[in-house]
Amino acid sequence: MPVTIKDVAREAGVSISTVSRVITGDSRISQPTREKVRAAMARLGYHPNAIARSLVRQRSNTIALVMSRAPRLAMAIPFYPEIIGGISEYATAEHYHLMLVSSESREEECVQTLQLLRHRRVDGVIHLATRIKDPLIDTMRREGHPFVVIGRVPGVEVPSVNNDNVAAAEMAVTHLLDGGYTSVAYVGGSPDLVVTWDRREGYCRALTGRGIPVREDWIICRESTAEAGYEAGIELLSSPDRPQAIFAMDDTLAAGVLKSARKLGISVPQELGLVGFNDDPFSSLIEPALTTVRIPIFEMGREAARMLIGLIGGSSPSQNVVVPAELVVRQSSRRRTPPAG
Amino acid sequence: MPVTIKDVAREAGVSISTVSRVITGDSRISQPTREKVRAAMARLGYHPNAIARSLVRQRSNTIALVMSRAPRLAMAIPFYPEIIGGISEYATAEHYHLMLVSSESREEECVQTLQLLRHRRVDGVIHLATRIKDPLIDTMRREGHPFVVIGRVPGVEVPSVNNDNVAAAEMAVTHLLDGGYTSVAYVGGSPDLVVTWDRREGYCRALTGRGIPVREDWIICRESTAEAGYEAGIELLSSPDRPQAIFAMDDTLAAGVLKSARKLGISVPQELGLVGFNDDPFSSLIEPALTTVRIPIFEMGREAARMLIGLIGGSSPSQNVVVPAELVVRQSSRRRTPPAG
DNA sequence: TATGTTTATGCAAACGTTTGAATAAACTTC
DNA sequence: GAAGTTTATTCAAACGTTTGCATAAACATA
C-alpha cells in the first residue's frame, strides 16, 4: 500500500485539497504551508498517482503511435525508428508519454488502436504510413478522436505531415534520365500504401515529361524488404531487354536491387543506374554508395507530435505540413564516363 | 461526455454492479440478464474506461521499455526494433500495452522511468542493454518494482535474458584465428555497456587460449555507430604494423570498419578478416557479405516480456534465461585461398 | 466598529470502475 | 412447511486524485 495524498495531508496537518494544490502548483497556497507539505511529501516518499489524476482530469497524457506494419518489418526500415525519435523528443518535452501499437495484422492493429482511444488510455494517435483505404482513419474521424497522419489520406482533409513524394520521385527519376540512363524502371513497396502510388506517379511524370512511354512491366510493387527488392531486380534485369536504371521506392528496396545486379553480374553504376529514397544510415556504406532522396524524417516526427498535442489541447482542427526533399547524389547513379549525348 | 457504466445500467434496467460483472465475465450473471446488458451496451455504444478500471484494480496493464540510448542512435541499430517486435508480440497477446521511454540523456531516462513506475502508469519495465553501473537498476531493485533486463547486471542477481557473450565472442575470434588470420583487433561499443566488456573478455580468451598476447592498443571501444567503426578502422589499419583481422562488437561497427578498409585500399577478406555481431538485415547485403554472430533477438524480446508479465502477476522472483548464439560464416572472414599453414 | 476585499484553506462532490458483503428469490431436503 | 442451500442481483465502500464553492481569517476602508 503506497503512500497517498491522504497520508501526506495527515502528516502535514492540512487538508487533502491543500496537498493537491501544492502538487499542481496552485498559486493560492502560502509559502509556509507549501514548504510544510513539501517536507511531508519528502518524509513519506510520496508520489502522486497518475491514474487517479487521469481519471478526474479526463486526460491520460499519453499518445499512441501506430506503425501500419508488422513490428519486425516496420522497425527494420530505419525510417520508423528515426521518426519515433522525433515524436519522442517533442512528446517528452511536453510531458506526454508514448504508447506503441504494433501488430502482425491490420485488423488487429485497427482494433487495438480504437480500443486505446475508446478506453481513454490515450488522448490521440499518430498514424505512420497511410494506406489507400484505411478503416482506422475513417473510424477515428467519425468518432472524433484527435489524430495526425504522417503521409497523406487521398480524398479527405486530415491533419498531416508529409513531403511532396510526387515531386521528389520526379526529381530522382529526372536525375537518372539526365545522367544518360534512357530507360528507368520503378520498384515500389506495398501497393496499398499511399506513398507507393505517389512515388510511382512522380516516376511516371518524369518519363512522360521526356516523352518516354511508361511500361507497365517495368513497374513492380510488392513489399518494402530487401528480399522483395532482390526479386524485383532479378525479374527486371534478367531479360536482355532490360532497363538501364531503376528507381526504388526506398533504400531497403534499392539494397535488394543492388544485390540482384551483383548476382547477375551487372555493374552499378556503369550498366545500371540506381536511386533509392530515405537516405538510410547504411546507404552511404554499401558499395557503390547509394544515390537517394533525403527527407527530414526526425523533424517530421517532431512536427507530427506538435500537431497532435495541439489538437488534443483543442487547437484549430486541420492543417497540413509539407517538408522539403533533397537529392543526395552518390556513386550508384554516376557513370564514370559521362554519356556521349 | 462519453457513455458510462451508469448509462448502460439505466438502459438495461439493472444495477451498475451487474453491468460490471457482465464486462468482467463473472459467471454468476444469468444468461437473459447478460444478453439484456450486452444489448444495452451495443445500443449505447459503450466502451469501458480503462483508467477507472486501473484505479480500482491497481494495475495499468502497461509495461515500459527503456532503451538505454538516445532514440535516434538506439533505433538505428536493428537490434532494437527487432527486440521490440518480440516484446510487442507477447505483450499484446497478454493484453498488455507498451510504453516507450527514450531520452537523450541517461539522467532524463532514469527519471522518466522511475516516474512511470512510481506514478503507477506502468506495472513493470524491460531494460534493454544494461550498463556497468546503472542507478536505475539499483533504484528499481530497492523500491521493489518488477523489471527484467536484456543483458546482464554484474554482481547482482536480477531476472534477465541474455546470450553468453563471452563464449560467442570467443567463438567468433577463434574462427578468425582458425582461418589463418594470426592477429586480431577488437572494436567495441560504448565502454559503459556490459556487453562491450563481455565480448572483449571473449576476445581476450580466444587470444590467450592460443598463446597470443593481448595488445591494448588493438582494443578500441567508443560508440556503436558506423562512424565510430570507421574511425577505429582508420586508426587500427593505418599503421604498417596492423592486425590481420578485426572483430567488431556489432554489425554496425563492422560496416564502419569495412568502409575504412575500403578507404585505405585494404581488401576484405584477402588482407583483412572481419567478423561482426547480430546478423543485422543489411549484413548479407554489403560487399563482401559480413561474417557475424546470430542470436535470436526476436525471441529474446518475447522471453523478456513473458518473464516480466509473470513477475507482475507475482510469480517467483528471479530467473535467468540464456539463449544460444550461432556463427554465420560469410565472405568477410574467408580468404579465397586457404592459408598455407 | 461595521463593511468590504483579499488571501488561504477546507468541504465534499465528482471521475468511472470493481468487489466483498448483504439480500432476496428460488429451489432442495427431510 | 420450516430450515437450509443455491443462484442472481443489488448496495455501498473503495481506488486516489482534482476542483467549484464555502468559509474563515486577516487586512484595508470608511
Side-chain angles (χ1 to χ4, degrees), chain B residues 15 17-18 21 30 33 56:
Chain B
S15 76
S17 334
T18 302
R21 294 208 159 93
S30 70
T33 312
V56 38

Side-chain angles (χ1 to χ4, degrees), chain B residues 49-66:
Chain B
N49 182 317
I51 301 290
R53 165 182 293 207
S54 283
L55 182 60
V56 38
R57 286 240 178 118
Q58 304 275 63
R59 175 134 330 158
S60 65
N61 269 256
T62 306
I63 60 179
L65 308 183
V66 347

Side-chain angles (χ1 to χ4, degrees), chain A residues 230-292:
Chain A
Y230 176 80
E231 281 162 29
I234 294 290
E235 285 179 44
L236 288 167
L237 301 174
S238 294
S239 153
D241 169 37
R242 60 177 168 81
Q244 292 190 18
I246 292 178
F247 168 53
M249 192 189 91
D250 63 35
D251 287 355
T252 302
L253 281 167
V257 169
L258 192 60
K259 202 181 175 192
S260 73
R262 205 179 286 146
K263 169 84 171 180
L264 294 172
I266 296 170
S267 80
V268 178
Q270 289 305 323
E271 301 172 82
L272 178 77
L274 183 59
V275 174
F277 212 109
N278 279 352
D279 194 20
D280 285 346
F282 68 80
S283 302
S284 57
L285 299 173
I286 59 182
E287 180 66 28
L290 195 60
T291 293
T292 187

Side-chain angles (χ1 to χ4, degrees), chain B residues 80-255:
Chain B
Y80 284 79
E82 180 80 5
I83 215 146
I84 290 176
I87 294 169
S88 165
E89 184 185 279
Y90 187 84
T92 301
E94 296 287 313
H95 299 104
Y96 268 77
H97 299 93
L98 246 53
M99 212 101 144
L100 212 58
V101 179
S102 60
S103 170
E104 293 302 318
S105 88
R106 292 183 196 165
E107 291 71 29
E108 257 298 309
E109 182 180 80
C110 180
V111 168
Q112 271 187 48
T113 308
L114 286 173
Q115 283 217 351
L116 243 26
L117 286 163
R118 290 168 174 164
H119 294 187
R120 310 212 115 57
R121 237 182 241 278
V122 305
D123 298 332
V125 161
I126 295 183
H127 190 270
L128 310 180
T130 47
R131 301 210 199 86
I132 295 294
K133 190 86 195 78
D134 197 325
L136 175 56
I137 302 277
D138 297 344
T139 309
M140 289 195 298
R141 267 170 65 87
R142 180 158 17 90
E143 299 186 359
H145 301 292
F147 72 100
V148 171
V149 308
I150 292 187
R152 183 177 79 81
V153 182
V156 286
E157 261 300 298
V158 300
S160 72
V161 13
N162 200 11
N163 66 305
D164 186 342
N165 277 308
V166 179
E170 187 174 355
M171 169 174 69
V173 175
T174 299
H175 160 74
L176 283 166
L177 295 172
D178 284 346
Y181 302 98
T182 56
S183 55
V184 184
Y186 175 63
V187 176
S190 174
D192 59 356
L193 292 177
V194 175
V195 61
T196 302
W197 290 89
D198 283 354
R199 291 185 187 162
R200 178 196 160 124
E201 172 65 18
Y203 158 81
C204 293
R205 281 196 198 171
L207 293 186
T208 53
R210 296 286 171 104
I212 303 169
V214 172
R215 285 178 57 165
E216 286 295 329
D217 58 331
W218 280 0
I219 297 180
I220 299 183
C221 299
R222 308 244 169 90
E223 259 302 333
S224 280
T225 62
E227 291 68 33
Y230 176 81
E231 281 161 29
I234 294 289
E235 285 179 42
L236 288 167
L237 300 173
S238 293
S239 154
D241 169 35
R242 61 176 168 82
Q244 293 189 18
I246 292 177
F247 168 52
M249 191 190 91
D250 64 35
D251 287 355
T252 303
L253 281 167

